[in-house]
């Protein structure tokens, strides 16, 4: 069975500090991967997507970057956190048709608080 | 109801009742998905309905799509307390990114 794991579960970071969030998909070969951001009580905003190792496309610029170093791994990072980065970060995967035309399966998320 | 870019609503029903959540979108789409998100969790995909489909079912859930009015609905029959969640619709066009609605908070009370 496929599983999606995100780490860490939660982070409290200072403004200006670096950040790295991770996502791993097990049990699926060559999934399409996505990063989403959700403000507390808000909707989801897609940030990045990747259909293959080493290739990442940006949807929204929020002073964040993403990388896909392995087929089953997706990393979200920034060198300097802003207060506006606080929220819930979600990783998702799909197979076949990519983007919104495919069923996407979300991970448990990482709660980020920037102080 | 929820629009792709506008305000959410809250609904409250008693267990066993049926409820419908509405969604409208502003651009042409190739697919629309419904998600359920429980507090503190990631969204769970419920139904994907493509632009050439008018209705799709998944157990107690039924989604409709009307491309002429650019709207969709999600109906839940025989609601249970565990259906309490925020329900999102998300539209897409030819595999570009998904645009999520602002969500409808549903509370099912005993």
């Amino acid at each position: 069975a496929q599983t999606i794991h995100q780490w860490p579960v939660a982070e409290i970071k200072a403004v200006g500090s670096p950040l790295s969030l991770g996502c791993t998909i097990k049990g699926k070969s060559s999934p399409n991967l996505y990063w989403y951001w959700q403000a507390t009580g808000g909707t989801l905003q897609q940030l990045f997507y990747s259909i293959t190792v080493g290739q990442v496309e940006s949807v929204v610029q929020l002073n964040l970057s993403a990388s896909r170093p392995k087929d089953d791994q997706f990393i979200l990072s920034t060198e300097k956190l802003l207060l506006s980065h606080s929220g819930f970060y979600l990783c998702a995967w799909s197979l076949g048709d990519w983007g919104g035309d495919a069923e996407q399966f979300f991970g448990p998320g990482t709660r980020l608080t920037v102080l | 109801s929820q629009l792709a870019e506008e305000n959410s609503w809250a609904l409250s029903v008693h267990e066993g009742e049926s409820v419908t959540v509405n969604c409208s979108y502003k651009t042409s789409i190739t697919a629309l998905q419904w998600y359920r998100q429980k507090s503190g969790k990631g969204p769970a995909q419920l139904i994907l309905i493509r632009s050439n489909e008018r209705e799709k079912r998944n157990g107690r859930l039924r989604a409709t799509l009307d491309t002429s009015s650019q709207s969709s609905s999600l109906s839940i029959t025989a609601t249970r307390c565990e259906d309490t969640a925020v329900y999102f619709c998300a539209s897409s066009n030819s595999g570009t990114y998904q645009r999520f609605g602002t969500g409808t908070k549903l509370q099912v009370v005993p």
Side-chain angles (χ1 to χ4, degrees):
Chain A
Q2 64 280 357
T3 59
I4 177 168
H5 176 60
Q6 288 189 242
W7 74 91
V9 172
E11 277 267 48
I12 299 176
K13 304 278 280 187
V15 170
S17 63
L19 174 76
S20 182
L21 303 179
C23 171
T24 299
I25 317 296
K26 294 300 182 186
K28 289 296 177 186
S29 178
S30 302
N32 306 311
L33 299 176
Y34 315 87
W35 277 114
Y36 289 82
W37 171 78
Q38 184 177 31
T40 300
T43 189
L44 285 85
Q45 171 66 65
Q46 186 171 330
L47 302 175
F48 299 94
Y49 65 86
S50 171
I51 58 176
T52 190
V53 174
Q55 290 188 12
V56 177
E57 298 295 330
S58 171
V59 175
V60 174
Q61 288 289 342
L62 290 178
N63 294 305
L64 296 167
S65 61
S67 64
R68 186 171 178 177
K70 300 178 184 178
D71 185 55
D72 63 353
Q73 196 173 82
F74 209 16
I75 306 295
L76 184 71
S77 60
T78 183
E79 293 184 359
K80 283 189 176 182
L81 279 166
L82 307 172
L83 285 174
S84 57
H85 285 137
S86 290
F88 199 35
Y89 287 84
L90 292 147
C91 180
W93 66 271
S94 69
L95 292 179
D97 294 338
W98 57 276
D101 286 13
E103 295 179 343
Q104 292 191 19
F105 301 93
F106 284 80
T110 294
R111 178 75 58 190
L112 174 67
T113 302
V114 182
L115 302 174
Chain B
S1 62
Q2 58 181 287
L3 302 178
E5 292 90 18
E6 297 187 38
N7 297 329
S8 62
W9 287 65
L11 297 171
S12 182
V13 297
H14 287 97
E15 204 171 17
E17 294 179 338
S18 296
V19 66
T20 297
V21 179
N22 296 302
C23 166
S24 58
Y25 53 91
K26 295 184 178 179
T27 59
S28 63
I29 65 169
T30 49
L32 187 139
Q33 300 199 56
W34 284 96
Y35 293 86
R36 168 190 289 167
Q37 185 177 29
K38 299 195 175 184
S39 181
K41 307 291 185 183
Q45 198 262 5
L46 300 175
I47 294 179
L48 183 154
I49 185 165
R50 300 190 186 279
S51 58
N52 61 351
E53 298 173 312
R54 291 297 169 259
E55 178 181 305
K56 206 143 183 202
R57 294 177 183 266
N58 179 7
R60 295 182 294 114
L61 308 176
R62 172 179 170 261
T64 65
L65 181 64
D66 184 341
T67 52
S68 63
S69 64
Q70 296 188 309
S71 64
S72 176
S73 69
L74 176 72
S75 297
I76 308 173
T77 57
T79 53
R80 304 167 182 168
C81 289
E82 53 263 39
D83 293 328
T84 294
V86 178
Y87 290 79
F88 291 98
C89 65
S91 60
S92 65
N93 188 339
S94 298
T96 55
Y97 76 100
Q98 285 194 102
R99 183 188 299 275
F100 276 75
T102 48
T104 297
K105 187 176 290 188
L106 172 65
Q107 183 167 19
V108 181
V109 298

